[in-house]
C-alpha cells in the first residue's frame, strides 16, 4: 500500500496529496478545480476582448457564407408553387415510361391557377430553366392557357396548350426537383444531371465546370511555381545584402502594393497585346515577324504572366523574413567542412528556408485560386478561372444556387489541399517570419 | 578513447604563417594592420583582445571567408589566398556553434564525411568515435535543439574534428557558457588538443581562458599584435602598458625617467617619489612612463630591504580567504592594490594605517605611458 497510510490527515494536506490521489490546495479543494476557477476569469477576459471581432465575423462572414452554402441545396420553390402536384407525383413512377395520370394534371391546373393569381409561376419557370431550357417559355404559355381551363379532362388541354407537357422528360425534371432540397446544383457544378435513368454526366459539348476547376487548379499551381522560381533568388539576395541596401530594395518589392490592382492589370494589357510594347520590341529586334505577332494576352499565358507579377510580393515577403533568420555561419560552417557552394546551399541553406517556401506557396496559391479581376481582364475565354464563372452566375444569370454549389466545391477543394499539404509538408513547417 | 582516435587518424598539426597581412572592409580603415604571425605545427595559439580588435577577421581570413586586402597567408608552407574555403581543410568551431538545426547530431557529424565521399561504414565508425571522444555517445539521434549549451558545444568540437583537419579554428566557442561549464570545457578542449596534436587557433576575450589553455597568446589591440608570448611571459614581462593592463591585475604609477642604465632605471613619479624599475619600454631620460606592478609582488612592511620602499595609506581591506586585498594610496595613486597573503604570523594592519610597502625593481616594469 501507499505510504500515505502512515501519514496523518494534516500531513497529507500539507503534502498536497490525499489518499484518493487528488492533489489538493491548502484549503482542501482539489487543485484542478482551483486552477480552473483561477483561469476562468482570464478566459472570460480574453473572450470579451475578441468578442467584437467575433461578432463582426459571425455577421459579415460566417452567416452569409452559411446562407450561400444553404442556397446550393435549397429548392423549396417547386413545393411552394405546385404543392398538390408534388403530392400527386408521389404515386408516379418515372421509370414506368408513361405520363402521370389525369389527377396529376388536374392538380397542375389547380396549383397553376393559384400561382398565376399570385404571379409566381414565371419564377418557377426561370428556376427550372436552369435545369433544362424551355421551362421558362413552357410556364409562360401555360400560365396564359390555364386561365381558360374550366373543367377536365385536363391532360389533353395541357398538351394542347404546350406539347412539352406530353413529353416524359418534362415530368422527370419536375419530379426530380419536387423535393425541398436538391443535389441538382451540385450535379450541374460537376457537369452531371439527373435523368430518368439516374445521375449521368452531361453530353460532352455541355461540360464546362470540371474543366474549369482543373484549369483553375493547374494555373494556380503554375502561378505559385513561377512566383517561387522568380521570388526565391530575389529573397535570397535581399537577405544577403546589408540592411541599408536590402531595405531600399524591399521598397521596390512593395512598390506594386502602392498602385491599384486594376492599374497594374491594365498595364499588362498595354504590354502584352498584339500591338503592345513587348510585341513591338520583338518585331523591331526582328525576333518575331510582323505578320505573326505573339498572342500573349486573352489566354492562359496572359493570366499566368499578370498574376505571377501581382502575387510575387506575397512569395518574396515570407521567404525573405525566414531567410533573414538563417545565420550566415551555417553556410560558412558547411564550407569549412568541405562543402562547395552548391552543396552548402542545397544541403544546409535550402532546407532551412523551406518554411518560408511553405508559407509563400500557401499564400500565393490560396490567393490565386480565388482570383477574379485579373483573369477577367487578361484571361480572355481560355484564361478565366472558376471564380469568374461564379461571378457570372451571381450577377448575370442570377443562378445563385449553382454559384453557391461552385463556391462550396471550391471551398472543399481548398480545404482538401490544405489537408494534403499538412500531411506532406506539415503545417508547423510554415513560418511567416 | 582519445588515444584510439589519434591512432586511427593521421592528424599532425599544420603550420600557419601570416605574412604582412592587412585587411580593410571599407577601403578607409585598416581593421588588421600588418599582421605577421608564425604558428607552429601542433601549437595551441590564442588570439586575445578587446572587442573589435580584429580577432574574428583574422580567423575569417585564415578560413577563407574574407579575402586579405594585402599580404599572404601560408598553410603548411603553401600560399592559400586563392584557395576557396572548402578546399582548405580547416575545421572550425563557431561562436554560436552553427550546428545544422535540421539534422540530427549524427547527421551533423556525417556532413563533412559525406561531402568527402567517405564510405558509410567508415563514416559511421568515425562518428561513433568522435561522439565518444566528447562523451556524447548516446546523443547521435537527437536534434541540436534538444541539447544543452555545453552539449551543443561539444558536438561542434566533435564536428570540427571528425574529418581530421590539421588545423582547427575556434571563435569564442565558450562565450555562451556559464563559468563552471566553461572551465570544464576549457579542460576538455585542451585535453583533446594535447592528445590529437592538431594545431588550434583559438579566439577569446577572456584572459584567464587564454592563459590556462594556450602555448602562446597573441594579444590584439586595434588590429596589431601587441605581444606574442607564452602565458607566463605575457603575465610577468608585458611588453607594453596595454598588455600589462589587459592581462591580470596591474598597478600603474605614472612618472618620467630621470636616469637609465641597461637593466635598471630610475623614475620620478608625478608626486616626486623616486622608484627603481626595469626599463622595458623606455629609452631616454625624460621619457614619460607608466610603471607597472603586479599586486602579488608587493609586500607590506617587508622584512628584507627591497630596492623600492615607499609609504602607503591603507584605504580599504577586503578579506578573500586565502589573501587580503588591500587598497591603498601610494604616490598619489588611490587605486593601488596589494594582495597580502593570509599567513598566521601576519602583522595586524587596518584601514587608515600608514605602512611601508616595498617591491623589487625587477618586478616593476617601466612601460610606455598608459593611455
Ligand atoms: N563584415 C564587416 N564589414 C565591415 N566591417 C566589419 C565587418 N566585420 C567586422 N568589421 C569591423 O572590423 C573590426 C574588427 O572586427 P572583428 O569582428 O574582427 O573583431 P573581434 O576582435 O572579433 O571582436 P569581438 O571580440 O567583439 O568578436 C570591427 O571594428 C568591426 O566593426
Ligand atoms: Mg569576434
Amino acid at each position: 500500500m501507499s505510504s500515505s497510510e502512515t501519514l496523518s490527515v494534516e500531513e497529507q494536506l500539507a503534502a498536497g496529496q490525499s489518499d484518493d490521489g487528488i492533489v489538493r490546495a491548502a484549503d482542501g479543494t482539489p487543485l484542478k478545480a482551483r486552477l480552473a476557477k483561477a483561469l476562468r476569469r482570464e478566459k472570460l477576459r480574453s473572450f470579451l476582448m475578441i468578442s467584437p471581432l467575433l461578432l463582426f465575423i459571425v455577421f459579415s462572414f460566417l452567416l452569409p457564407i452559411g446562407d450561400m452554402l444553404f442556397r446550393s441545396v435549397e429548392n423549396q420553390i417547386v413545393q411552394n408553387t405546385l404543392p398538390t402536384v408534388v403530392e400527386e407525383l408521389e404515386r408516379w413512377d418515372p421509370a414506368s415510361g408513361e405520363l402521370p395520370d389525369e389527377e396529376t394534371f388536374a392538380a397542375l391546373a389547380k396549383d397553376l391557377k393559384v400561382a398565376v393569381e399570385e404571379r409566381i409561376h414565371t419564377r418557377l419557370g426561370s428556376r427550372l430553366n436552369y435545369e433544362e431550357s424551355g421551362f421558362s417559355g413552357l410556364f409562360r404559355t401555360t400560365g396564359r392557357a390555364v386561365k381558360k381551363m374550366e373543367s377536365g379532362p385536363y391532360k389533353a388541354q395541357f398538351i394542347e396548350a404546350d406539347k412539352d407537357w406530353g413529353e416524359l422528360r418534362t415530368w422527370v425534371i419536375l419530379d426530380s426537383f419536387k423535393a425541398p432540397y436538391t443535389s441538382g446544383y451540385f450535379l450541374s457544378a460537376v457537369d452531371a444531371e439527373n435523368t430518368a435513368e439516374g445521375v449521368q454526366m452531361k453530353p460532352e459539348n455541355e461540360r464546362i465546370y470540371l474543366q474549369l476547376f482543373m484549369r483553375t487548379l493547374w494555373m494556380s499551381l503554375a502561378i505559385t511555381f513561377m512566383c517561387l522560381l522568380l521570388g526565391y533568388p530575389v529573397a535570397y539576395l535581399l537577405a544577403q545584402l546589408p540592411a541599408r541596401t536590402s531595405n531600399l530594395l524591399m521598397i521596390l518589392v512593395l512598390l506594386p502594393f502602392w498602385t491599384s490592382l486594376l492599374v497594374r492589370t491594365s498595364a499588362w494589357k498595354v504590354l502584352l497585346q498584339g500591338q503592345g510594347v513587348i510585341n513591338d520590341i520583338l518585331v523591331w529586334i526582328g525576333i518575331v515577324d510582323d505578320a505573326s505577332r505573339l498572342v500573349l494576352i486573352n489566354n492562359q499565358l496572359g493570366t499566368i504572366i499578370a498574376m505571377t507579377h501581382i502575387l510575387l510580393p506575397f512569395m518574396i515577403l515570407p521567404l525573405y523574413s525566414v531567410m533573414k533568420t538563417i545565420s550566415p555561419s551555417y553556410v560558412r560552417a558547411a564550407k569549412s567542412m568541405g562543402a562547395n557552394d552548391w552543396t552548402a546551399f542545397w544541403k544546409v541553406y535550402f532546407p532551412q528556408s523551406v518554411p518560408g517556401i511553405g508559407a509563400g506557396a500557401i499564400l500565393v496559391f490560396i490567393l490565386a485560386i480565388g482570383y477574379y479581376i485579373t483573369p477577367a481582364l487578361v484571361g480572355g475565354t481560355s484564361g478565366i478561372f472558376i471564380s469568374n464563372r461564379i461571378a457570372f452566375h451571381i450577377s448575370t444569370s442570377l443562378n445563385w444556387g449553382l454559384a453557391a454549389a461552385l463556391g462550396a466545391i471550391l471551398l472543399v477543394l481548398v480545404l482538401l489541399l490544405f489537408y494534403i499539404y499538412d500531411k506532406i509538408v506539415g503545417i508547423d513547417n510554415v513560418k511567416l517570419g | 578513447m582519445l588515444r584510439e582516435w589519434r591512432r586511427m587518424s593521421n592528424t599532425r598539426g599544420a603550420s600557419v604563417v601570416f605574412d604582412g597581412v592587412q585587411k580593410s572592409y571599407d577601403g578607409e580603415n585598416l581593421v588588421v594592420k600588418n599582421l605577421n604571425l608564425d604558428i607552429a605545427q601542433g601549437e595551441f595559439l590564442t588570439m586575445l583582445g578587446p572587442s573589435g580588435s580584429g580577432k574574428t577577421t583574422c580567423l575569417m581570413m585564415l578560413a577563407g571567408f574574407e579575402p586579405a586586402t594585402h599580404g599572404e597567408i601560408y598553410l603548411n608552407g603553401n600560399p592559400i589566398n586563392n584557395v576557396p574555403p572548402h578546399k582548405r581543410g580547416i575545421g572550425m568551431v563557431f561562436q554560436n556553434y552553427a550546428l545544422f538545426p535540421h539534422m540530427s547530431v549524427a547527421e551533423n557529424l556525417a556532413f563533412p564525411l559525406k561531402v568527402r565521399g567517405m564510405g558509410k561504414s567508415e563514416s559511421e565508425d568515425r562518428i561513433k568515435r568522435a561522439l565518444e571522444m566528447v562523451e556524447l555517445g548516446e546523443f547521435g539521434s537527437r536534434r541540436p535543439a534538444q541539447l544543452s549549451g555545453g552539449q551543443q558545444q561539444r558536438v561542434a568540437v566533435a564536428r570540427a574534428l571528425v574529418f581530421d583537419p590539421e588545423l582547427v579554428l575556434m571563435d569564442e566557442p565558450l562565450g555562451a557558457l556559464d563559468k563552471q561549464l566553461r572551465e570544464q570545457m576549457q579542460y576538455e578542449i585542451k585535453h583533446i588538443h594535447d592528445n590529437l596534436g592538431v594545431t588550434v587557433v583559438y579566439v577569446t576575450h577572456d584572459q584567464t581562458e587564454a592563459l590556462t589553455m594556450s602555448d602562446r597568446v597573441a594579444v590584439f589591440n586595434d588590429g596589431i599584435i601587441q605581444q606574442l608570448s607564452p602565458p607566463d611571459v605575457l603575465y610577468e614581462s608585458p611588453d607594453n602598458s596595454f598588455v600589462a593592463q589587459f592581462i591580470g591585475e596591474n598597478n600603474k604609477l605614472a612618472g618620467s625617467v630621470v636616469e637609465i642604465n641597461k637593466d635598471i632605471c630610475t623614475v620620478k613619479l608625478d608626486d616626486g617619489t623616486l622608484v627603481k624599475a626595469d626599463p622595458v619600454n623606455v629609452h631616454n631620460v625624460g621619457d614619460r612612463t607608466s610603471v607597472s606592478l603586479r599586486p602579488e609582488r608587493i609586500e607590506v612592511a617587508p622584512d628584507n630591504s627591497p630596492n623600492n620602499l615607499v609609504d602607503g595609506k591603507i584605504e580599504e581591506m577586503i578579506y578573500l580567504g586565502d589573501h587580503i586585498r588591500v587598497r591603498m594610496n601610494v604616490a598619489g595613486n588611490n587605486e593601488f592594490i596589494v594582495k597580502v597573503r593570509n599567513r598566521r604570523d601576519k602583522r595586524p594592519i587596518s584601514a587608515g594605517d600608514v605602512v611601508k610597502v616595498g617591491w623589487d625593481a625587477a618586478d616593476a616594469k617601466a612601460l610606455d605611458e598608459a593611455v
Side-chain angles (χ1 to χ4, degrees):
Chain A
M1 279 301 285
S2 73
S3 61
S4 62
E5 274 182 339
T6 60
L7 295 175
S8 71
V9 177
E10 288 89 297
E11 281 169 332
Q12 287 172 18
L13 279 179
Q17 183 101 32
S18 65
D19 46 17
D20 55 1
I22 297 173
V23 186
R24 290 173 191 280
D27 62 356
T29 49
L31 206 55
K32 276 226 172 82
R34 296 274 297 191
L35 188 66
K37 205 170 152 192
L39 286 180
R40 204 171 307 142
R41 266 182 77 92
E42 195 71 7
K43 279 186 187 151
L44 192 70
R45 247 171 62 123
S46 333
F47 182 78
L48 282 178
M49 264 150 85
I50 62 158
S51 59
L53 179 63
L54 197 66
L55 284 176
F56 176 76
I57 287 186
V58 165
F59 283 108
S60 69
F61 197 68
L62 292 181
L63 288 183
I65 285 186
D67 178 61
M68 208 60 207
L69 292 179
F70 179 63
R71 274 170 200 272
S72 65
V73 291
E74 190 262 356
N75 187 45
Q76 279 153 355
I77 188 166
V78 179
Q79 203 161 49
N80 289 348
T81 321
L82 306 173
T84 338
V85 176
V86 168
E87 248 168 62
E88 294 292 333
L89 277 178
E90 292 299 326
R91 295 184 289 105
W92 182 62
D93 175 20
S96 68
E98 286 173 24
L99 289 178
D101 54 14
E102 172 60 23
E103 275 169 58
T104 313
F105 277 94
L108 180 63
K110 175 174 167 250
D111 285 348
L112 266 182
K113 278 181 185 162
V114 177
V116 170
E117 286 283 291
E118 293 172 5
R119 297 170 185 280
I120 55 172
H121 64 294
T122 48
R123 228 186 280 168
L124 179 61
S126 28
R127 160 68 187 90
L128 290 174
N129 209 52
Y130 299 146
E131 310 305 330
E132 176 95 10
S133 52
F135 264 97
S136 196
L138 173 65
F139 273 83
R140 228 177 296 119
T141 40
T142 320
R144 283 195 294 273
V146 81
K147 286 188 216 154
K148 292 169 207 133
M149 295 182 195
E150 302 286 282
S151 62
Y154 289 103
K155 192 169 182 169
Q157 292 184 56
F158 270 105
I159 296 173
E160 166 85 7
D162 194 320
K163 63 178 181 347
D164 276 355
W165 288 117
E167 298 283 331
L168 189 62
R169 186 160 169 72
T170 310
W171 287 98
V172 169
I173 288 173
L174 208 54
D175 183 56
S176 57
F177 286 96
K178 68 176 190 257
Y181 299 101
T182 177
S183 58
Y185 293 122
F186 275 101
L187 289 176
S188 305
V190 293
D191 294 332
E193 62 186 343
N194 248 320
T195 62
E197 291 90 52
V199 176
Q200 278 184 346
M201 291 303 285
K202 282 193 182 155
E204 205 78 50
N205 56 356
E206 284 177 30
R207 295 182 195 171
I208 47 171
Y209 296 115
L210 278 186
Q211 189 203 352
L212 209 52
F213 271 117
M214 291 311 295
R215 183 201 292 166
T216 307
L217 272 185
W218 89 253
M219 281 178 64
S220 300
L221 284 176
I223 290 162
T224 309
F225 184 73
M226 288 293 294
C227 282
L228 182 60
L229 211 65
L230 297 176
Y232 196 94
V234 176
Y236 181 80
L237 185 71
L238 286 175
Q240 304 300 314
L241 288 173
R244 271 180 62 110
T245 332
S246 74
N247 284 342
L248 201 73
L249 293 178
M250 194 47 107
I251 291 178
L252 295 183
V253 172
L254 295 176
L255 207 60
F257 284 137
W258 300 357
T259 47
S260 136
L261 175 65
L262 230 47
V263 172
R264 274 177 283 155
T265 308
S266 312
W268 278 112
K269 276 190 118 121
V270 175
L271 285 173
L272 295 175
Q273 59 187 266
Q275 301 298 320
V277 178
I278 289 177
N279 264 316
D280 280 350
I281 290 177
L282 289 180
V283 169
W284 183 68
I285 297 174
I287 295 176
V288 174
D289 194 59
D290 198 13
S292 57
R293 284 173 175 252
L294 302 177
V295 185
L296 298 172
I297 203 169
N298 294 332
N299 56 11
Q300 303 188 352
L301 186 65
T303 305
I304 291 179
I305 291 176
M307 280 183 59
T308 299
H309 167 246
I310 284 161
L311 296 178
L312 199 54
F314 294 100
M315 181 63 89
I316 293 178
L317 289 177
L319 272 177
Y320 171 75
S321 65
V322 167
M323 286 175 173
K324 208 61 193 155
T325 63
I326 304 175
S327 158
S329 64
Y330 291 121
V331 168
R332 288 187 164 181
K335 286 188 189 167
S336 78
M337 286 183 274
N340 58 25
D341 289 354
W342 169 250
T343 315
F345 169 78
W346 183 243
K347 286 277 159 57
V348 173
Y349 192 89
F350 183 79
Q352 296 188 59
S353 70
V354 164
I357 297 181
I362 283 201
L363 213 58
V364 170
F365 182 78
I366 297 288
L367 284 171
I369 207 167
Y371 230 68
Y372 160 67
I373 295 179
T374 307
L377 289 180
V378 299
T381 44
S382 69
I384 58 161
F385 278 12
I386 193 72
S387 47
N388 300 103
R389 206 62 203 167
I390 295 176
F392 168 78
H393 284 306
I394 296 252
S395 56
T396 309
S397 81
L398 301 184
N399 188 352
W400 286 19
L402 182 56
L406 289 171
I409 291 177
L410 191 61
L411 183 65
V412 170
L413 211 65
V414 169
L415 292 179
L416 196 73
L417 284 171
F418 247 132
Y419 177 77
I420 295 172
Y421 186 91
D422 184 32
K423 283 283 154 233
I424 297 174
V425 185
I427 217 77
D428 309 338
N429 222 346
V430 166
K431 210 158 78 176
L432 283 168
Chain B
M1 190 51 58
L2 277 166
R3 217 162 297 125
E4 208 178 326
W5 173 267
R6 182 197 209 166
R7 206 179 322 122
M8 200 179 78
S9 48
N10 48 5
T11 311
R12 262 186 56 250
S15 67
V16 176
V17 175
F18 283 87
D19 183 15
V21 172
Q22 296 184 324
K23 173 72 187 176
S24 170
Y25 284 105
D26 51 9
E28 286 170 21
N29 307 303
L30 280 177
V31 170
V32 174
K33 300 166 187 158
N34 195 26
L35 176 71
N36 291 294
L37 181 59
D38 270 313
I39 305 173
Q41 293 187 337
E43 186 169 7
F44 194 118
L45 183 122
T46 298
M47 294 178 174
L48 174 68
S51 189
S53 56
K55 309 180 295 288
T56 300
T57 306
C58 286
L59 225 52
M60 288 300 156
M61 285 193 289
L62 183 48
F65 298 124
E66 290 290 348
T69 314
H70 178 82
E72 187 69 67
I73 303 172
Y74 298 89
L75 187 64
N76 287 331
N78 306 314
I80 54 168
N81 277 13
N82 295 319
V83 179
H86 67 273
K87 296 219 173 104
R88 296 192 181 191
I90 298 175
M92 190 148 184
V93 180
F94 289 81
Q95 182 162 15
N96 55 3
Y97 315 141
L99 297 177
F100 305 142
H102 58 292
M103 298 182 189
S104 71
V105 167
E107 285 165 341
N108 263 282
L109 264 67
F111 187 85
L113 306 178
K114 216 185 266 173
V115 297
R116 282 176 170 69
M118 186 178 284
K120 202 169 160 67
S121 66
E122 194 192 343
S123 88
E124 269 169 14
D125 211 44
R126 272 169 174 268
I127 292 165
K128 193 161 157 282
R129 279 161 203 269
L131 281 179
E132 278 167 9
M133 175 177 72
V134 293
E135 287 157 19
L136 287 174
E138 308 299 307
F139 293 81
S141 55
R142 293 234 197 141
R143 287 286 167 105
Q146 297 166 323
L147 299 178
S148 75
Q151 289 165 340
Q152 289 182 27
Q153 204 281 330
R154 281 184 274 167
V155 174
V157 170
R159 191 178 66 170
L161 289 169
V162 75
F163 61 100
D164 282 345
E166 298 178 330
L167 172 63
V168 178
L169 313 182
M170 303 191 184
D171 190 358
E172 299 190 34
L174 308 181
L177 304 185
D178 64 52
K179 189 169 174 290
Q180 200 173 351
L181 196 55
R182 191 203 301 239
E183 277 166 10
Q184 184 192 339
M185 289 304 304
Q186 284 170 7
Y187 170 77
E188 281 180 28
I189 290 175
K190 187 64 189 146
H191 193 55
I192 289 171
H193 167 258
D194 288 346
N195 279 282
L196 297 187
V198 49
T199 306
V200 176
V201 179
Y202 192 96
V203 166
T204 180
H205 52 225
D206 178 342
Q207 43 137 326
T208 324
E209 198 166 294
L211 294 183
T212 52
M213 298 177 81
S214 323
D215 294 330
R216 282 193 300 165
V217 179
V219 180
F220 274 67
N221 189 33
D222 205 14
I224 294 172
I225 294 187
Q226 303 288 333
Q227 187 169 357
L228 174 62
S229 309
D232 53 340
V233 177
L234 203 62
Y235 185 80
E236 282 162 31
S237 322
D239 277 354
N240 56 43
S241 60
F242 174 82
V243 176
Q245 196 70 4
F246 196 72
I247 309 282
E249 221 174 349
N250 175 56
N251 293 310
K252 15 173 223 189
L253 299 169
S256 44
V257 181
V258 291
E259 190 193 335
I260 187 162
N261 294 324
K262 198 155 73 62
D263 45 29
I264 196 151
C265 67
T266 308
V267 175
K268 186 176 185 190
L269 301 183
D270 290 350
D271 73 333
T273 319
L274 288 176
V275 294
K276 298 229 177 320
D278 177 13
V280 177
N281 218 351
V282 289
H283 309 287
N284 303 307
V285 172
D287 280 358
R288 287 294 295 169
T289 180
S290 167
V291 176
S292 159
L293 265 172
R294 298 294 182 197
E296 69 276 10
R297 294 290 171 91
I298 304 164
E299 261 191 284
V300 176
D303 307 324
N304 53 354
S305 46
N307 37 17
N308 287 303
L309 199 60
V310 296
D311 280 338
K313 179 164 177 281
I314 297 177
E315 302 276 352
E316 191 183 2
M317 292 176 54
I318 299 168
Y319 182 78
L320 286 166
D322 61 335
H323 72 269
I324 298 157
R325 218 176 127 81
V326 182
R327 183 168 69 81
M328 45 175 70
N329 188 334
V330 172
N333 180 354
N334 222 349
E335 298 292 329
F336 197 90
I337 305 291
V338 179
K339 283 183 185 169
V340 179
R341 267 207 298 146
N342 193 355
R343 292 199 312 226
R344 203 167 342 125
D345 60 345
K346 67 181 182 222
R347 293 184 191 97
I349 48 174
S350 54
D353 292 357
V354 174
V355 292
K356 287 282 181 204
V357 286
W359 61 87
D360 201 88
D363 289 332
K365 309 291 179 188
L367 306 172
D368 53 312
E369 191 180 19
V371 260

